[in-house]
Amino acid sequence: MERATRKTRTVLSLCLVALTGMARPGRAEEVVEEGPRLEIREALQFRIDQGLSAPGAAAVSLRRGRVGLHLTGSPWVRGGLEVSFDRLVLLPGPLQGPPLALHEASVTFTVLPQRAWLSVGLFRPQVGRESLTSGFEVDSLDKAITQGPLREHLTGTESGRAPGVDVGGLLRGEGWSVRYDSGVVVYRPGPEGALRPPLLVARAALTLGAPEAEAYSLSLPMNDFGLRPGLTLALQGSTEPGGDARSWGVDALLRLRPLVLSAELHQVASPQGHALLAHVRAGLNLPGPGATVIEPWALVARVTGGALADAPGGARLDAGLSWYLRRQALRATLGGSWRPPGHGASGGQLGLSLQHRR
């Protein structure tokens, strides 16, 4: 009990650090000198959830919490150290503190200037757009249900991070760009703590139009608010050398003002069988009051097969509305999800989130 209390106090302290940034929005606009520097970044996402199939008291929680120290401003090296404190239940009942966890710790070095980067540490294996996009940036209240089974295959952890090595880069031309990655996941815990063999992963993405981002990084963006129109098509896969686990998949992202459309399909194989993971998400960026943006969105996802023991099989429909007050830095989202009968735990749920990032 005393240990849980200490964790809860630590989490609340981290929340206060992040909320201080909300009280001083001007800090994000301060001019800083060029050159290598360390930056403290934090993000909070508060949630209110209400079940529809079994109505009761609404649950209030800190759905996601992040605090990290990041090295930026250097043309040849970047990196970060980040801790997470997710699912801090505020109501109902007594305050329940989540376990603090090392969320990510990686360093990325230049191998060939502007062409190749070497990443080492604890980070997301470069497979799956949904997995590589932050939960603070996806155009929906929650990520698609397809992410969990894929991350289980890749890393064996819910966070989707694992120790590994990756070589990747972003090649840019006139009206096109190519992003590539290849690497190895060194440590992947299996069921009941069993150790699985290392996993080789690779992904290649072609973009026609504006590149998804100005520079290469270990994460992918999604909504550009109409600033970087283009179409991205990606092919990816993973395999255990000498093992039975493997996957292949495709994903796509179309960004045309005001439309944002993403889709993903993966087939995952294991000694237990095969699983097919698919989802499609669509959103429209519409002008809101002042300089804000309002986005109605919808997400359809389905998981079939039984290659993964914990795969949430079945289908789910999510829909809702997001209000971007300061783009992804300050955002409110109202959404609902529904599972038809015979597709996992049938029923519906409503949720409201408010997030702040700095």
Side-chain angles (χ1 to χ4, degrees), residues 126-132 144 146-147 150 202-206 212 220 231-238 246-254 261-268 275-281 302:
Q126 298 296 289
V127 171
R129 173 173 294 280
E130 193 77 357
S131 179
L132 297 176
T146 54
Q147 176 193 253
L150 182 62
R203 182 177 184 269
L206 169 66
E212 292 185 7
L220 294 179
L231 170 65
T232 299
L233 300 173
L235 179 66
Q236 58 230 285
S238 63
R246 61 189 181 278
S247 72
W248 68 266
V250 294
D251 67 61
L253 175 66
L254 175 64
L261 179 66
S262 60
E264 198 161 340
L265 174 68
H266 293 274
Q267 185 179 55
V268 181
L276 190 65
L277 320 173
H279 74 260
V280 178
R281 177 192 286 108
R302 183 176 177 84

Side-chain angles (χ1 to χ4, degrees), residues 21 24-31 326 357-358:
R24 300 194 301 272
R27 289 187 58 185
E29 300 175 2
E30 292 179 359
V31 177
R326 292 208 322 262
R357 303 178 70 192
R358 187 171 69 100

Side-chain angles (χ1 to χ4, degrees), residues 45-52 58-61 63 140-142 297 316 318-322 332-338 348-354:
Q45 188 181 87
F46 290 94
R47 284 277 294 270
I48 302 176
D49 291 291
Q50 175 67 64
L52 299 180
V60 182
S61 66
R63 174 63 181 85
S140 51
L141 184 66
D142 287 306
W297 50 265
R316 196 173 91 173
D318 295 53
L321 189 71
S322 294
T333 299
L334 174 65
S337 63
W338 179 70
Q349 180 171 299
L350 290 177
L352 172 66
S353 77
L354 175 64

